[in-house]
DNA sequence: CCCAACTCCTGGGCGC
DNA sequence: TGCGCCCAGGAGTTGG
Protein backbone atom coordinates (compact mmCIF):
# COMPACT_ATOMS: atom_id res chain seq x y z
CA UNK A 1 0.00 0.00 0.00
CA UNK A 2 1.37 3.39 -0.96
CA UNK A 3 -0.02 5.26 2.02
CA UNK A 4 2.38 5.52 4.95
CA UNK A 5 0.73 5.60 8.34
CA UNK A 6 2.17 8.23 10.64
CA UNK A 7 4.27 6.17 13.03
CA UNK A 8 3.22 8.18 16.06
CA UNK A 9 -0.42 7.32 15.58
CA UNK A 10 -1.70 4.53 17.77
CA UNK A 11 -5.39 4.57 17.17
CA UNK A 12 -8.22 6.61 15.77
CA UNK A 13 -10.63 8.13 18.11
CA UNK A 14 -14.09 8.19 16.69
CA UNK A 15 -15.17 11.79 16.39
CA UNK A 16 -18.38 13.27 15.03
CA UNK A 17 -17.98 12.01 11.43
CA UNK A 18 -17.18 8.47 12.52
CA UNK A 19 -20.05 8.35 15.00
CA UNK A 20 -22.45 9.85 12.46
CA UNK A 21 -21.39 7.25 9.88
CA UNK A 22 -22.19 4.48 12.32
CA UNK A 23 -25.46 6.10 13.35
CA UNK A 24 -26.65 6.23 9.77
CA UNK A 25 -25.82 2.57 9.30
CA UNK A 26 -27.41 1.21 12.46
CA UNK A 27 -30.46 3.48 12.72
CA UNK A 28 -32.71 1.77 10.15
CA UNK A 29 -31.72 -1.69 11.35
CA UNK A 30 -32.20 -0.92 15.02
CA UNK A 31 -35.47 1.00 14.74
CA UNK A 32 -38.25 -1.15 16.19
CA UNK A 33 -35.99 -3.98 17.36
CA UNK A 34 -36.96 -5.56 20.69
CA UNK A 35 -34.17 -6.46 23.13
CA UNK A 36 -34.77 -10.07 24.17
CA UNK A 37 -31.61 -10.44 26.20
CA UNK A 38 -28.36 -8.59 26.77
CA UNK A 39 -24.97 -9.29 28.27
CA UNK A 40 -21.78 -7.44 29.04
CA UNK A 41 -18.23 -7.43 30.32
CA UNK A 42 -18.23 -7.02 34.13
CA UNK A 43 -16.82 -3.49 34.07
CA UNK A 44 -19.28 -0.83 35.23
CA UNK A 45 -18.56 0.91 31.93
CA UNK A 46 -20.48 -1.81 30.12
CA UNK A 47 -22.91 -3.44 32.56
CA UNK A 48 -25.67 -0.88 31.85
CA UNK A 49 -26.12 -2.73 28.55
CA UNK A 50 -28.41 -5.21 30.26
CA UNK A 51 -30.78 -2.47 31.46
CA UNK A 52 -32.16 -2.29 27.92
CA UNK A 53 -33.60 -5.81 28.14
CA UNK A 54 -37.31 -5.88 27.39
CA UNK A 55 -37.39 -2.50 25.66
CA UNK A 56 -37.62 -1.69 21.98
CA UNK A 57 -35.13 0.56 20.21
CA UNK A 58 -36.45 3.53 18.27
CA UNK A 59 -34.64 5.84 15.83
CA UNK A 60 -30.97 6.33 16.69
CA UNK A 61 -29.70 9.84 17.23
CA UNK A 62 -26.36 11.45 17.94
CA UNK A 63 -25.04 14.32 20.03
CA UNK A 64 -21.39 15.18 19.47
CA UNK A 65 -19.52 11.89 19.76
CA UNK A 66 -22.29 10.22 21.73
CA UNK A 67 -24.71 7.83 20.09
CA UNK A 68 -28.21 8.20 21.50
CA UNK A 69 -30.29 5.05 21.18
CA UNK A 70 -33.78 5.85 22.50
CA UNK A 71 -35.90 3.06 23.91
CA UNK A 72 -39.68 2.95 23.67
CA UNK A 73 -40.12 3.11 27.45
CA UNK A 74 -38.91 6.67 28.03
CA UNK A 75 -35.27 5.77 28.48
CA UNK A 76 -32.24 6.04 26.27
CA UNK A 77 -29.10 3.96 25.80
CA UNK A 78 -26.15 6.33 25.45
CA UNK A 79 -23.05 4.89 23.78
CA UNK A 80 -19.60 6.44 23.69
CA UNK A 81 -17.12 4.57 21.51
CA UNK A 82 -14.06 5.87 23.33
CA UNK A 83 -10.91 5.13 21.36
CA UNK A 84 -11.56 1.73 19.88
CA UNK A 85 -15.26 1.00 20.28
CA UNK A 86 -17.08 -0.66 17.40
CA UNK A 87 -20.74 -1.48 16.86
CA UNK A 88 -21.85 -4.20 14.48
CA UNK A 89 -24.74 -6.52 13.75
CA UNK A 90 -24.43 -10.27 13.64
CA UNK A 91 -26.90 -12.98 12.75
CA UNK A 92 -27.11 -15.86 15.20
CA UNK A 93 -25.23 -15.81 18.50
CA UNK A 94 -22.90 -13.22 20.07
CA UNK A 95 -19.32 -13.83 18.99
CA UNK A 96 -17.80 -15.66 21.99
CA UNK A 97 -14.52 -15.97 20.17
CA UNK A 98 -13.94 -12.20 20.22
CA UNK A 99 -12.03 -11.39 23.42
CA UNK A 100 -12.89 -7.72 22.98
CA UNK A 101 -16.66 -8.12 22.87
CA UNK A 102 -17.83 -5.88 25.72
CA UNK A 103 -21.60 -5.91 25.30
CA UNK A 104 -24.31 -7.46 23.17
CA UNK A 105 -28.06 -7.20 22.70
CA UNK A 106 -30.06 -10.08 21.27
CA UNK A 107 -32.77 -8.53 19.12
CA UNK A 108 -35.91 -9.52 17.37
CA UNK A 109 -37.57 -7.42 14.71
CA UNK A 110 -41.24 -6.98 13.91
CA UNK A 111 -40.80 -9.49 11.11
CA UNK A 112 -39.34 -11.95 13.59
CA UNK A 113 -35.77 -11.94 12.26
CA UNK A 114 -33.25 -12.61 15.05
CA UNK A 115 -30.10 -10.56 15.19
CA UNK A 116 -27.42 -9.45 17.65
CA UNK A 117 -26.05 -5.94 18.11
CA UNK A 118 -22.48 -6.17 19.38
CA UNK A 119 -20.21 -3.61 21.02
CA UNK A 120 -16.51 -4.50 20.79
CA UNK A 121 -13.81 -2.31 22.35
CA UNK A 122 -10.17 -3.35 22.64
CA UNK A 123 -9.02 -0.63 25.01
CA UNK A 124 -12.20 -0.29 27.03
CA UNK A 125 -12.29 3.49 26.82
CA UNK A 126 -15.85 3.27 25.59
CA UNK A 127 -18.84 3.30 27.90
CA UNK A 128 -22.55 2.66 27.98
CA UNK A 129 -25.28 4.24 30.04
CA UNK A 130 -29.06 3.96 30.24
CA UNK A 131 -30.66 7.26 31.28
CA UNK A 132 -34.13 8.81 31.28
CA UNK A 133 -34.62 10.11 27.74
CA UNK A 134 -32.92 13.46 27.35
CA UNK A 135 -31.64 13.57 30.91
CA UNK A 136 -27.87 13.74 30.67
CA UNK A 137 -27.19 14.99 34.16
CA UNK A 138 -25.24 11.82 34.92
CA UNK A 139 -23.03 12.37 31.85
CA UNK A 140 -21.47 15.78 32.50
CA UNK A 141 -19.56 16.17 29.24
CA UNK A 142 -22.70 15.41 27.25
CA UNK A 143 -24.84 17.67 29.42
CA UNK A 144 -22.40 20.55 28.95
CA UNK A 145 -21.69 19.95 25.26
CA UNK A 146 -21.90 22.95 22.97
CA UNK A 147 -24.11 23.16 19.91
CA UNK A 148 -24.01 20.72 17.04
CA UNK A 149 -21.86 22.10 14.21
CA UNK A 150 -24.84 22.68 11.94
CA UNK A 151 -27.22 23.98 14.58
CA UNK A 152 -28.88 27.00 12.90
CA UNK A 153 -28.48 28.89 16.16
CA UNK A 154 -24.72 28.47 15.98
CA UNK A 155 -24.00 31.74 14.21
CA UNK A 156 -20.43 33.02 13.88
CA UNK A 157 -21.25 35.54 16.58
CA UNK A 158 -22.55 32.84 18.90
CA UNK A 159 -19.47 30.71 18.29
CA UNK A 160 -17.28 33.69 19.09
CA UNK A 161 -19.20 34.16 22.34
CA UNK A 162 -18.78 30.49 23.26
CA UNK A 163 -15.05 30.61 22.59
CA UNK A 164 -14.66 33.73 24.65
CA UNK A 165 -15.54 32.02 27.87
CA UNK A 166 -12.18 30.30 28.28
CA UNK A 167 -8.63 31.43 28.68
CA UNK A 168 -7.27 27.99 28.01
CA UNK A 169 -5.47 27.17 24.76
CA UNK A 170 -7.92 27.04 21.88
CA UNK A 171 -7.05 23.42 21.14
CA UNK A 172 -7.84 22.40 24.71
CA UNK A 173 -11.05 24.39 24.61
CA UNK A 174 -12.22 22.70 21.40
CA UNK A 175 -11.52 19.24 22.77
CA UNK A 176 -13.59 20.02 25.87
CA UNK A 177 -16.73 19.81 23.67
CA UNK A 178 -18.06 23.02 25.17
CA UNK A 179 -17.80 25.53 22.33
CA UNK A 180 -19.02 22.97 19.78
CA UNK A 181 -19.87 19.27 20.03
CA UNK A 182 -18.08 16.39 18.34
CA UNK A 183 -14.58 17.70 17.63
CA UNK A 184 -11.59 15.55 18.61
CA UNK A 185 -7.87 15.65 17.98
CA UNK A 186 -7.90 14.93 14.26
CA UNK A 187 -10.60 17.33 13.11
CA UNK A 188 -9.39 20.03 15.54
CA UNK A 189 -5.92 20.02 13.99
CA UNK A 190 -7.39 19.94 10.49
CA UNK A 191 -9.73 22.86 11.12
CA UNK A 192 -7.06 24.96 12.84
CA UNK A 193 -4.70 24.39 9.93
CA UNK A 194 -7.39 25.19 7.38
CA UNK A 195 -8.37 28.41 9.12
CA UNK A 196 -4.70 29.34 9.76
CA UNK A 197 -5.21 29.74 13.48
CA UNK A 198 -2.65 28.86 16.13
CA UNK A 199 -3.78 26.07 18.47
CA UNK A 200 -2.37 27.91 21.47
CA UNK A 201 -4.42 31.04 20.83
CA UNK A 202 -6.39 32.12 23.84
CA UNK A 203 -8.64 34.76 22.39
CA UNK A 204 -10.03 34.95 18.90
CA UNK A 205 -11.47 37.99 17.19
CA UNK A 206 -14.85 37.66 15.57
CA UNK A 207 -13.41 37.29 12.11
CA UNK A 208 -11.10 34.44 13.06
CA UNK A 209 -13.83 32.75 15.07
CA UNK A 210 -16.02 32.84 11.97
CA UNK A 211 -13.19 31.38 9.89
CA UNK A 212 -12.66 28.61 12.42
CA UNK A 213 -16.35 27.75 12.43
CA UNK A 214 -16.34 27.54 8.64
CA UNK A 215 -13.27 25.31 8.74
CA UNK A 216 -14.76 23.03 11.40
CA UNK A 217 -17.91 22.58 9.36
CA UNK A 218 -15.86 21.93 6.27
CA UNK A 219 -13.57 19.26 7.75
CA UNK A 220 -16.41 17.55 9.62
CA UNK A 221 -18.60 17.48 6.52
CA UNK A 222 -15.77 16.04 4.45
CA UNK A 223 -15.24 13.43 7.15
CA UNK A 224 -18.88 12.41 6.98
CA UNK A 225 -18.89 12.39 3.20
CA UNK A 226 -15.88 10.07 3.16
CA UNK A 227 -17.22 7.78 5.87
CA UNK A 228 -14.76 8.84 8.59
CA UNK A 229 -11.03 8.64 9.19
CA UNK A 230 -9.43 5.23 9.72
CA UNK A 231 -5.85 5.27 10.96
CA UNK A 232 -6.00 1.88 12.57
CA UNK A 233 -9.00 0.83 14.61
CA UNK A 234 -11.98 2.74 13.33
CA UNK A 235 -14.44 0.65 11.33
CA UNK A 236 -18.02 1.50 10.50
CA UNK A 237 -20.94 -0.76 11.43
CA UNK A 238 -20.28 -2.85 8.34
CA UNK A 239 -16.62 -3.37 9.21
CA UNK A 240 -15.37 -1.06 6.48
CA UNK A 241 -12.69 1.61 6.80
CA UNK A 242 -13.34 5.27 6.12
CA UNK A 243 -11.65 7.31 3.40
CA UNK A 244 -10.74 10.58 5.10
CA UNK A 245 -7.30 9.39 6.22
CA UNK A 246 -6.09 10.04 2.69
CA UNK A 247 -7.17 13.67 2.89
CA UNK A 248 -5.50 14.77 6.12
CA UNK A 249 -3.60 18.02 5.69
CA UNK A 250 -2.14 18.55 9.17
CA UNK A 251 -2.92 15.73 11.62
CA UNK A 252 -0.08 13.23 11.81
CA UNK A 253 2.13 15.27 9.45
CA UNK A 254 4.57 16.65 12.02
CA UNK A 255 7.95 17.37 10.41
CA UNK A 256 6.52 17.18 6.90
CA UNK A 257 6.17 20.31 4.76
CA UNK A 258 3.10 22.48 5.13
CA UNK A 259 0.90 21.98 2.08
CA UNK A 260 0.38 25.75 1.85
CA UNK A 261 3.80 27.22 2.51
CA UNK A 262 6.31 24.33 2.65
CA UNK A 263 7.46 25.15 6.17
CA UNK A 264 7.93 21.95 8.21
CA UNK A 265 4.91 21.37 10.42
CA UNK A 266 5.52 21.37 14.15
CA UNK A 267 4.22 18.85 16.64
CA UNK A 268 3.92 19.37 20.36
CA UNK A 269 1.81 18.28 23.27
CA UNK A 270 -1.00 20.62 24.18
CA UNK A 271 -3.03 19.45 27.13
CA UNK A 272 -1.33 16.04 26.86
CA UNK A 273 -2.48 15.65 23.25
CA UNK A 274 -0.30 15.68 20.18
CA UNK A 275 -1.00 18.78 18.15
CA UNK A 276 0.39 19.53 14.71
CA UNK A 277 0.40 22.97 13.12
CA UNK A 278 2.32 25.19 10.74
CA UNK A 279 4.49 27.67 12.60
CA UNK A 280 4.37 30.03 9.63
CA UNK A 281 0.74 30.01 8.40
CA UNK A 282 -0.58 29.46 11.89
CA UNK A 283 1.69 31.87 13.70
CA UNK A 284 0.26 33.50 16.78
C1' DC B 1 -18.47 27.19 39.04
C1' DC B 2 -13.92 26.18 36.85
C1' DC B 3 -9.84 23.87 35.95
C1' DA B 4 -5.52 20.83 36.35
C1' DA B 5 -3.98 16.41 37.27
C1' DC B 6 -4.72 11.80 37.40
C1' DT B 7 -6.88 7.61 35.71
C1' DC B 8 -8.44 4.13 32.76
C1' DC B 9 -6.54 0.35 28.97
C1' DT B 10 -3.92 -2.27 25.48
C1' DG B 11 -1.43 -3.28 21.05
C1' DG B 12 2.23 -2.31 18.83
C1' DG B 13 6.53 0.41 17.81
C1' DC B 14 10.89 0.48 19.12
C1' DG B 15 15.39 -0.17 21.53
C1' DC B 16 18.46 -3.41 22.98
C1' DT C 1 14.14 -13.24 17.62
C1' DG C 2 12.32 -11.82 21.91
C1' DC C 3 11.67 -9.14 25.79
C1' DG C 4 10.03 -5.15 28.04
C1' DC C 5 9.33 -0.23 28.04
C1' DC C 6 6.20 3.26 26.90
C1' DC C 7 3.17 5.82 24.04
C1' DA C 8 -1.54 7.13 22.16
C1' DG C 9 -6.03 9.10 23.47
C1' DG C 10 -11.50 11.08 25.37
C1' DA C 11 -13.65 11.80 29.07
C1' DG C 12 -14.76 10.51 33.91
C1' DT C 13 -13.12 11.43 38.49
C1' DT C 14 -11.00 13.84 42.09
C1' DG C 15 -9.22 17.56 44.55
C1' DG C 16 -8.07 22.41 44.89
Amino acid sequence: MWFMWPTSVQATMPELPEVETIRRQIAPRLDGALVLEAGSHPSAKFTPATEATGARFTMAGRRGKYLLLPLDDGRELVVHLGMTGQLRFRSGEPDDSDPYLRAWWRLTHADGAPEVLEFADVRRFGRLRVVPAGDYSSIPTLAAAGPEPWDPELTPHRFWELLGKSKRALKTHLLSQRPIAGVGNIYADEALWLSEINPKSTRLGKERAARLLDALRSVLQQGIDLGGTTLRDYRNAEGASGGNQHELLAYGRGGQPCLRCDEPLRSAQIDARTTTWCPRCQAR
Side-chain angles (χ1 to χ4, degrees), chain A residues 8-248:
Chain A
S8 61
V9 171
Q10 300 294 314
T12 307
M13 41 294 171
E15 306 180 31
L16 188 152
E18 291 73 34
V19 177
E20 177 61 16
T21 298
I22 291 168
R23 186 198 68 78
R24 291 179 183 184
Q25 290 177 329
I26 66 170
R29 232 165 136 176
L30 206 52
D31 189 23
L34 175 68
V35 181
L36 298 175
E37 189 189 3
S40 80
H41 179 278
S43 164
K45 292 174 175 179
F46 309 113
T47 53
T50 60
E51 296 171 28
T53 304
R56 207 175 274 279
F57 283 110
T58 59
M59 190 58 76
R62 180 192 54 74
R63 184 80 173 85
K65 305 176 199 174
Y66 294 84
L67 268 171
L68 308 178
L69 308 181
L71 303 168
D72 67 351
D73 60 2
R75 299 179 304 154
E76 195 173 318
L77 173 63
V78 180
V79 179
H80 196 291
L81 299 171
M83 295 285 293
T84 56
Q86 298 177 6
L87 282 168
R88 64 198 179 210
F89 286 98
R90 168 179 304 276
S91 54
E93 302 299 305
D95 184 5
D96 288 338
S97 71
D98 181 353
Y100 307 119
L101 184 66
R102 308 303 186 192
W104 51 266
W105 299 265
R106 194 191 306 278
L107 307 173
T108 184
H109 291 268
D111 60 10
E115 201 163 41
V116 178
L117 176 67
E118 295 185 331
F119 180 72
D121 182 9
V122 171
R123 294 196 183 170
R124 289 195 252 162
F125 270 37
R127 54 181 64 219
L128 308 170
R129 206 74 169 261
V130 174
V131 301
D135 176 3
Y136 306 125
S137 54
S138 65
I139 308 174
T141 303
L142 176 52
E148 287 293 309
W150 295 281
D151 182 336
E153 290 183 15
L154 183 59
T155 60
H157 180 78
R158 180 70 189 128
F159 187 53
W160 173 77
E161 285 179 338
L162 287 162
L163 288 174
K165 287 180 181 173
S166 173
K167 288 176 181 171
R168 294 187 291 173
L170 179 56
K171 173 73 181 280
T172 302
H173 200 23
L174 287 173
L175 295 184
S176 77
Q177 306 301 302
R178 290 158 76 175
I180 190 168
V183 178
N185 212 25
I186 295 174
Y187 294 95
D189 277 11
E190 292 298 292
L192 288 167
W193 183 87
L194 201 57
S195 55
E196 301 181 43
I197 294 172
N198 189 282
K200 293 181 181 172
S201 306
T202 48
R203 277 193 213 165
L204 287 194
K206 290 187 184 181
E207 191 180 322
R208 303 177 95 203
R211 240 198 297 145
L212 177 57
L213 179 58
D214 276 349
L216 284 163
R217 286 173 168 159
S218 168
V219 299
L220 292 169
Q221 186 62 58
Q222 177 185 289
I224 292 171
D225 292 344
L226 295 177
T229 303
T230 298
L231 295 176
R232 173 168 303 154
D233 298 286
Y234 168 71
R235 296 293 183 279
N236 66 29
E238 292 164 3
S241 297
N244 196 54
Q245 61 277 13
H246 303 300
E247 309 299 326
L248 297 177

Side-chain angles (χ1 to χ4, degrees), chain A residues 253-271:
Chain A
R253 298 194 64 249
Q256 298 177 52
C258 173
L259 295 169
R260 262 192 310 256
C261 77
D262 240 25
E263 181 86 2
L265 297 183
R266 266 181 68 187
S267 274
Q269 297 289 115
I270 297 180
D271 190 34

